[in-house]
């Protein structure tokens, strides 16, 4: 479902504009591994097929996990999810800086009143009103990013610190589910 909202299903591409074009292929190829699928209610579940059950003992046998193909797949999936989080963060930063720079240049032009533009345009050289507007924009941008729940650092520090594989899988599942719910809410608001 999350993958569809980013890249695959044209009707569900709620988040398409949140990804730069170069990131679409990475998401297309990465979001789910062989042991994670969606059930009939679009909730992520772990496949409990024969292969999974056979590997489960090895996969979960030690507190830190075994050197198995499944462990490697899990970390590739986690790395892909973290790359998506980083991409979204960079996209939000890029949009913020673009908007901020546009306001700063417009304000500097107005304040220069026909004189050559003083470059580089610095926030402290602008009027107090514009500085306050820029500070407010920055605070809103931070709040908006935090509300996404796609922090590329803290959630992954938590993931790494978990001691058993089942907890790690549950945590990664939680992160993906949280994004799915956010995108579904966004889709409802857009309709």
């Amino acid at each position: 479902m999350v993958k569809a909202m980013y890249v695959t299903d044209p009707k569900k591409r709620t988040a398409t504009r949140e990804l730069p074009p170069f990131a679409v292929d990475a998401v297309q190829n990465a979001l789910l591994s062989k042991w994670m699928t969606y059930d009939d209610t679009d909730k992520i579940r772990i496949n409990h097929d024969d292969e999974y059950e056979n590997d489960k003992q090895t996969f979960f046998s030690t507190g830190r996990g075994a050197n198995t193909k499944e462990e490697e797949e899990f970390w590739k999936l986690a790395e892909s999810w973290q790359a998506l989080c980083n991409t979204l963060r960079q996209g939000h930063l890029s949009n913020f800086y673009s908007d901020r720079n546009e306001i700063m240049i417009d304000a500097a032009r107005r304040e220069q009143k026909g004189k050559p533009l003083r470059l580089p345009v610095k926030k402290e050289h602008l009027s107090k009103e514009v500085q306050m507007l820029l500070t407010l924009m920055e605070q809103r941008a931070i709040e908006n990013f935090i509300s996404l729940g796609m922090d590329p650092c803290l959630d992954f520090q938590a993931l790494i610190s978990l001691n058993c594989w089942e907890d790690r899988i549950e945590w990664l599942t939680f992160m993906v589910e949280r994004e799915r719910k956010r995108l579904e809410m966004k889709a409802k608001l857009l309709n």
Side-chain angles (χ1 to χ4, degrees):
M1 182 67 125
V2 172
K3 185 175 180 180
M5 290 175 156
Y6 276 103
V7 293
T8 55
D9 186 347
K11 294 178 184 173
K12 295 182 180 178
R13 284 184 170 182
T14 307
T16 305
R17 297 190 70 201
E18 293 186 32
L19 284 179
F22 65 85
V24 172
D25 288 340
V27 173
Q28 175 73 31
N29 296 325
L31 281 183
L32 290 178
S33 73
K34 73 175 189 175
W35 44 266
M36 290 175 72
T37 59
Y38 290 100
D39 64 17
D40 295 334
T41 63
D42 284 333
K43 296 231 186 253
I44 295 175
R45 71 175 184 82
I46 298 172
N47 292 328
H48 290 279
D49 59 11
D50 290 339
E51 183 180 358
Y52 175 86
E53 292 300 330
N54 290 338
D55 292 338
K56 183 177 178 182
Q57 195 64 33
T58 305
F59 190 57
F60 295 124
S61 61
T62 66
R64 289 275 172 202
N67 289 325
T68 64
K69 185 177 178 184
E70 287 77 14
E71 180 182 0
E72 187 176 319
E73 282 185 39
F74 173 84
W75 288 117
K76 283 181 183 178
L77 177 62
E79 183 178 14
S80 296
W81 192 254
Q82 187 174 35
L84 174 65
C85 292
N86 274 315
T87 301
L88 288 174
R89 182 187 66 187
Q90 289 307 117
H92 280 262
L93 273 174
S94 185
N95 289 338
F96 166 73
Y97 284 126
S98 175
D99 293 344
R100 185 195 70 164
N101 290 343
E102 193 173 306
I103 288 171
M104 288 176 67
I105 290 173
D106 286 345
R109 282 189 183 140
R110 281 192 312 273
E111 291 174 10
Q112 294 296 322
K113 298 179 183 166
K115 297 177 189 172
L117 192 58
R118 184 172 156 193
L119 296 175
V121 176
K122 295 184 178 181
K123 183 178 176 181
E124 55 270 10
H125 296 151
L126 301 171
S127 70
K128 294 292 180 196
E129 293 81 21
V130 173
Q131 289 181 33
M132 288 173 48
L133 172 66
L134 294 172
T135 300
L136 183 61
M137 281 179 61
E138 185 176 328
Q139 289 170 346
R140 282 187 190 145
I142 290 168
E143 289 168 4
N144 288 340
F145 179 73
I146 290 171
S147 73
L148 292 177
M150 296 288 284
D151 186 285
C153 299
L154 297 177
D155 284 336
F156 293 90
Q157 287 176 345
L159 180 73
I160 290 169
S161 71
L162 294 170
N163 288 324
C164 81
W165 280 102
E166 289 170 323
D167 290 345
R168 287 179 179 162
I169 290 171
E170 284 180 27
W171 183 250
L172 184 59
T173 300
F174 166 76
M175 290 190 291
V176 174
E177 282 289 312
R178 182 177 57 200
E179 176 65 354
R180 181 185 65 84
K181 289 175 184 174
R182 181 188 77 83
L183 293 174
E184 286 175 347
M185 182 61 69
K186 182 179 177 180
K188 285 179 185 176
L189 293 173
L190 291 174
N191 293 331

